[in-house]
Amino acid sequence: MALWFCSARFLVFLFIVSALPIAYIISQERAKTDHHVFHYHSSGFFRECAKWDDQGRRFLVSFLEGGVGEIHVPQNYTRDVVLQEVTVVEDSDLTGNASNGIALDRPRNRLLVAVADVLGNRYSGLAAYDLSTWKRLFLTKLSGPGDEKSMADDVAVDADGNAYVTDVKGSKIWKVGVDGELLSTLTNPLFTPKEWYKSLLGLNGIVYHPDGYLIVVHTLSGNLFKIDLAKGDEVKLIEVAGGPLAFGDGLELISPTKLVVAAGNPSGRLVESTDGWETASVVAKFKGPMHRLATAATVKDGKVYLNHMFGMGYPRKTHALVEFVL
């Protein structure tokens, strides 16, 4: 007797169930929007972070499989054009590690890249590359075998060129000097939620505020923190009305009082503070493509774009940088 799950009825059912999500994705991809989307072709499925480099007229993107690419936007660009990604960094000695958060350090003409072993959490590092030649300037080991598990996730740079790298696994922040020396590690009880499961994904997106402090988001708790560098790395919880910012990932400061959070779905949230980031409020939300997952934000020509991790298609994958309509 044939098993029930081999019956024609079951096969039809299985086909319908598997076709539904595919049909949904296709409909989402073809849907017309009132906001701008930069589409580009790449060779990989996963793009973790993107930042706009105005001087180079290009988006710089990090590869979850390791490496960095650039997407040039020509002066005569039109919206129907699909751009092309070109790999500019591919370090053989970092094979097996992901390139996660990136930060432009234009005064020193370099790109900072958080590097990590995503699956095993056995290695974390910070790499710096010259923006003109793509020569690696330094590689700082932040953790390795024998250390507690960690995963370098995002990076910000201050006015002096010091870098601050978040550890999404261990909820701490490494400070790396301008020449690549590991200076200190910042921990704080506020970084550890009471619920154990919210510690599975900890400190994530980070930005440097021109007034001399850091703003960092905790992924699963949705908490937003202010770290005052001038006050001995004092940590304060920012009270966010309309929060918490659950699944908060990449951050982008678009003015001293406004912050964009890339965060799952809604894929973008605009947070505003009028008291120096002692308190804040969610003032706008943006719902982008649900099937792509927003992981980072950047600003081009005054407009905010959200990087989405997943590329679609084969053999060429199409990625999307979606305008957050404020």
Side-chain angles (χ1 to χ4, degrees):
M1 179 181 293
L3 295 175
W4 71 272
F5 54 77
C6 291
S7 68
R9 182 178 297 177
F10 177 76
L11 291 176
V12 170
F13 171 77
L14 185 64
F15 173 78
I16 293 173
V17 170
S18 62
L20 286 175
I22 296 174
Y24 171 77
I25 290 172
I26 292 174
S27 69
Q28 289 292 302
E29 289 293 296
R30 292 181 175 177
K32 292 183 179 180
T33 64
D34 57 359
H35 51 268
H36 180 219
V37 180
F38 283 103
H39 285 107
Y40 67 93
H41 286 144
S42 83
S43 59
F45 281 112
F46 307 109
R47 296 297 176 257
E48 169 65 15
C49 187
K51 295 297 178 183
W52 173 250
D53 175 20
D54 186 64
Q55 188 170 320
R57 284 200 57 80
R58 59 190 173 179
F59 288 102
L60 299 173
V61 296
S62 61
F63 304 169
L64 202 61
E65 65 267 29
V68 176
E70 63 179 7
I71 301 116
H72 279 279
V73 181
Q75 292 283 357
N76 60 350
Y77 165 80
T78 56
R79 291 193 173 195
D80 58 335
V81 172
V82 178
L83 302 170
Q84 303 297 320
E85 173 193 275
V86 176
T87 299
V88 293
V89 170
E90 192 171 18
D91 289 337
S92 59
D93 59 337
L94 290 175
T95 299
N97 293 297
S99 297
N100 291 324
I102 59 177
L104 276 164
D105 184 10
R106 260 296 170 193
R108 280 154 284 274
N109 194 49
R110 63 185 187 175
L111 182 74
L112 300 173
V113 183
V115 179
D117 168 22
V118 171
L119 296 179
N121 305 144
R122 294 181 297 266
Y123 178 82
S124 287
L126 177 69
Y129 299 92
D130 185 277
L131 283 167
S132 301
T133 65
W134 293 109
K135 175 184 177 182
R136 193 168 74 192
L137 304 175
F138 66 75
L139 174 62
T140 304
K141 177 184 174 182
L142 303 174
S143 70
D147 299 327
E148 65 177 359
K149 288 190 174 183
S150 63
M151 192 179 97
D153 190 86
D154 204 0
V155 57
V157 59
D158 67 18
D160 297 322
N162 299 305
Y164 302 87
V165 184
T166 55
D167 175 9
V168 74
K169 182 69 176 178
S171 284
K172 58 181 178 289
I173 299 172
W174 294 285
K175 181 178 180 179
V176 178
V178 66
D179 296 318
E181 64 277 22
L182 178 58
L183 299 178
S184 61
T185 302
L186 172 62
T187 60
N188 193 282
L190 289 177
F191 296 156
T192 305
K194 294 180 180 179
E195 304 88 344
W196 67 268
Y197 55 89
K198 290 185 178 180
S199 293
L200 295 175
L201 290 175
L203 297 186
N204 198 325
I206 187 170
V207 291
Y208 174 76
H209 194 283
D211 288 342
Y213 48 86
L214 302 169
I215 299 174
V216 61
V217 68
H218 188 285
T219 305
L220 291 184
S221 73
N223 288 333
L224 199 64
F225 299 101
K226 175 182 178 179
I227 302 168
D228 198 327
L229 304 176
K231 295 182 179 179
D233 298 336
E234 176 188 73
V235 178
K236 288 184 178 180
L237 175 66
I238 301 172
E239 296 182 13
V240 181
L245 303 170
F247 299 102
D249 199 334
L251 304 180
E252 182 76 359
L253 200 63
I254 61 175
S255 80
T257 61
K258 294 180 179 179
L259 177 77
V260 170
V261 183
N265 187 47
S267 56
R269 302 172 204 177
L270 179 63
V271 184
E272 187 172 9
S273 175
T274 58
D275 60 2
W277 295 97
E278 297 294 315
T279 63
S281 301
V282 176
V283 295
K285 296 180 180 180
F286 174 74
K287 185 177 180 180
M290 294 177 62
H291 61 290
R292 283 191 180 266
L293 186 62
T295 55
T298 190
V299 176
K300 178 188 181 296
D301 300 330
K303 296 180 179 180
V304 177
Y305 289 87
L306 298 175
N307 173 76
H308 288 73
M309 178 178 286
F310 301 117
M312 303 293 169
Y314 184 84
R316 292 193 303 175
K317 292 79 177 174
T318 302
H319 287 265
L321 292 158
V322 182
E323 181 187 356
F324 182 159
V325 181
L326 302 175

